[in-house]
Amino acid sequence: MQVYLVGGAVRDHLLGHPYHEKDYVVVGATPEQLLAQGYQPVGKDFPVFLHPKTKEEYALARTERKSGHGYHGFEFFTDPNVSLEEDLIRRDLTINAMAMDDSGQVYDPYHGQKDLEKKLLRHVSDAFAEDPLRVLRVARFAARYHQYGFTIADETLALMQKLAESGELQALTPERVWKETSRALMEDRADVYFDVLRQCHALKILFPEIDALFGVPQRPEYHPEIDCGIHTLMSLQQACKANYSLDVRFAVLVHDLGKALTPKDELPRHIMHEERGIAPVTEVCDRLKVPTQTKQLALAVCKEHLKCHQAFTLKAGTVWRLLQRLDVLRRPERVEAFVQACECDARGRLGLEDREYPQAQYLLDVMQTVRNIKASDLPPEITGPDIGEMLIQKRIEAIADFKQKYTQPEQIT
């Protein structure tokens, strides 16, 4: 029995990129042998075991054969006679098809180290085109390793286009699409993920609402980049740069979906795009089974982001109702996330990436002001339903007083 470290850990070790998870492949062993050593079996499709102490994954060397559609359309074969090379050839990219033994020797039958040097994401074999999930995985790797200068090999991009056009992407489950996308959103250059999906024609299949933004013009005085799709990716890049949460990044990604629905005779203006965006944002979230908390913030940002930009000119009562809709008293963290997403929208514009956005601190300060007003601060003679009405009045008055401290900056739309 021989044990090798495989996949991402070997790749990132050679690249000098931080990694945490380790996966191992076991050659020349049976399930019974691993069970006898205390390994715990997991997984339904093929024999994977957890180490009795480290709980790291150990998989028996295996081959696979396409037997159906989608990510699960494979039959797996394990046997002590399956070689390391046979196991590695089924992997997606050459840089993921390397192994390392416990002495540090690297086994690289498909030239992954050369592609690391060339900074290329290249498929191992034509079997790549049998698994539609690999389109998303390669796009995610392109986002992760963009900082090192990695690009996708032309022949691999061609296979990704072939997969997109084959109809196989439709066989992916919503859970798998969201899992890969949510992981990609947390990369430093999440915008690259969506750019790659667009290059290989997968964006219009998996995210047609986002794809529809490209080519839609905006007013150049507010959006020097003009194109709505470019603005979306620039805004997402701002969220990544600030290391904001997944919820914020996703909200930024979908905040302008309504602009794809603007009637052509109204372009490049986008009146009512916030309201028009509610339906497509809801559709994306429901289709991909996006977590409820993530969906709620996305809808709030879609519907309310212009009010954040215009915060200084809003009446005190309007600001209070905005904060109330954001659940300011129970969930101040949602207000903070909302402001962060709006800030990314304001800065996701050509030449304006470093602009000041004082609305952010203004709304956060207002939030704290209204949260500091408690029922215990009211006169004792105020009782019953009058308490709620008086609290609202006091909070609006506090916002009005606070507003006097600020000047009104240039409007952002």
Side-chain angles (χ1 to χ4, degrees):
M1 185 173 79
Q2 296 171 300
V3 177
Y4 300 91
L5 181 67
V6 292
V10 178
R11 173 198 67 224
D12 289 343
H13 169 75
L14 295 174
L15 192 60
H17 186 81
Y19 63 93
H20 305 287
E21 295 182 2
K22 295 181 180 179
D23 295 313
Y24 297 86
V25 67
V26 183
V27 178
T30 64
E32 292 75 19
Q33 285 176 292
L34 292 183
L35 290 171
Q37 295 182 32
Y39 286 78
Q40 299 173 341
V42 295
K44 299 178 181 178
D45 297 326
F46 44 82
V48 177
F49 299 82
L50 297 182
H51 190 279
K53 294 182 179 180
T54 66
K55 304 303 178 183
E56 292 170 333
E57 288 193 357
Y58 287 68
L60 292 178
R62 63 188 185 269
T63 59
E64 62 185 33
R65 181 174 65 88
K66 184 74 169 175
S67 60
H69 292 289
Y71 172 68
H72 293 289
F74 293 90
E75 292 180 355
F76 297 94
F77 173 73
T78 61
D79 185 271
N81 294 319
V82 174
S83 68
L84 178 63
E85 289 75 13
E86 289 175 311
D87 180 273
L88 293 176
I89 199 173
R90 67 179 178 77
R91 298 174 185 269
D92 49 9
L93 300 174
T94 59
I95 62 171
N96 295 333
M98 297 181 286
M100 181 186 295
D101 62 22
D102 56 8
S103 68
Q105 181 176 348
V106 176
Y107 296 82
D108 181 17
Y110 305 108
H111 313 298
Q113 291 182 92
K114 287 185 178 180
D115 284 340
L116 278 181
E117 293 173 4
K118 295 177 181 178
K119 300 183 179 1
L120 269 184
L121 303 175
R122 189 198 308 273
H123 63 284
V124 178
S125 72
D126 288 343
F128 175 95
E130 296 177 351
D131 184 356
L133 186 65
R134 288 175 170 174
V135 172
L136 280 74
R137 281 175 53 83
V138 173
R140 178 164 59 83
F141 287 134
R144 175 180 296 178
Y145 299 115
H146 184 272
Q147 62 178 306
Y148 298 108
F150 273 78
T151 58
I152 302 173
D154 291 341
E155 59 270 30
T156 301
L157 190 62
L159 274 181
M160 293 167 67
Q161 293 173 347
K162 178 182 176 182
L163 261 173
E165 294 162 0
S166 71
E168 280 276 314
L169 290 178
Q170 287 88 330
L172 291 173
T173 65
E175 292 83 0
R176 291 302 308 185
V177 175
W178 173 246
K179 182 178 181 180
E180 287 297 322
T181 301
S182 61
R183 293 178 69 184
L185 280 168
M186 294 310 295
E187 300 292 353
D188 289 342
R189 287 298 303 270
D191 57 299
V192 173
Y193 173 79
F194 296 97
D195 186 49
V196 168
L197 292 182
R198 185 165 178 260
Q199 287 180 49
C200 70
H201 309 152
L203 190 66
K204 63 183 177 182
I205 297 170
L206 298 173
F207 302 95
E209 300 87 353
I210 299 172
D211 187 70
L213 290 170
F214 288 90
V216 177
Q218 301 172 101
R219 294 171 65 181
E221 62 266 37
Y222 296 115
H223 286 275
E225 73 286 348
I226 299 176
D227 190 286
C228 288
I230 293 174
H231 163 63
T232 292
L233 296 190
M234 290 182 70
S235 299
L236 178 57
Q237 190 174 343
Q238 288 292 316
C240 298
K241 182 180 178 181
N243 197 28
Y244 287 148
S245 69
L246 172 63
D247 290 354
V248 171
R249 297 183 193 207
F250 180 74
V252 170
L253 176 69
V254 300
H255 80 280
D256 264 351
L257 292 189
K259 289 184 176 179
L261 303 177
T262 300
K264 291 185 178 180
D265 61 352
E266 294 182 12
L267 295 174
R269 302 176 70 194
H270 291 278
I271 301 170
M272 302 287 289
H273 76 274
E274 313 95 279
E275 288 79 3
R276 289 192 181 105
I278 296 300
V281 171
T282 301
E283 169 62 24
V284 171
C285 292
D286 291 349
R287 185 175 69 244
L288 297 183
K289 301 182 180 180
V290 171
T292 299
Q293 176 178 302
T294 308
K295 176 182 176 180
Q296 289 175 343
L297 179 65
L299 287 169
V301 172
C302 172
K303 187 176 181 180
E304 312 278 11
H305 62 274
L306 286 191
K307 290 186 177 64
C308 187
H309 297 334
Q310 299 163 352
F312 290 105
T313 60
L314 297 180
K315 294 180 179 179
T318 304
V319 174
W320 162 247
R321 288 187 289 275
L322 169 63
L323 292 174
Q324 199 172 32
R325 289 193 295 274
L326 294 171
D327 207 2
V328 62
L329 300 179
R330 294 186 304 170
R331 302 180 63 181
E333 70 279 359
R334 179 184 287 180
V335 179
E336 293 176 6
F338 169 79
V339 167
Q340 290 171 350
C342 295
E343 182 179 37
C344 294
D345 172 33
R347 290 179 174 165
R349 311 179 190 210
L350 188 63
L352 302 174
E353 295 87 349
D354 298 319
R355 75 191 309 179
E356 295 294 325
Y357 191 70
Q359 292 92 328
Q361 192 59 52
Y362 172 72
L363 278 180
L364 293 178
D365 290 342
V366 168
M367 174 186 74
Q368 195 57 52
T369 298
V370 300
R371 283 177 55 83
N372 287 339
I373 298 175
K374 311 289 186 183
S376 58
D377 299 328
L378 300 179
E381 61 269 21
I382 304 297
T383 59
D386 293 338
I387 293 177
E389 291 297 324
M390 181 61 73
L391 281 174
I392 292 174
Q393 180 180 332
K394 290 290 185 182
R395 285 166 178 151
I396 293 175
E397 290 174 355
I399 294 172
D401 291 341
F402 193 84
K403 185 175 183 292
Q404 300 304 315
K405 302 177 183 178
Y406 285 83
T407 57
Q408 297 180 7
E410 173 189 356
Q411 287 299 293
I412 299 171
T413 61

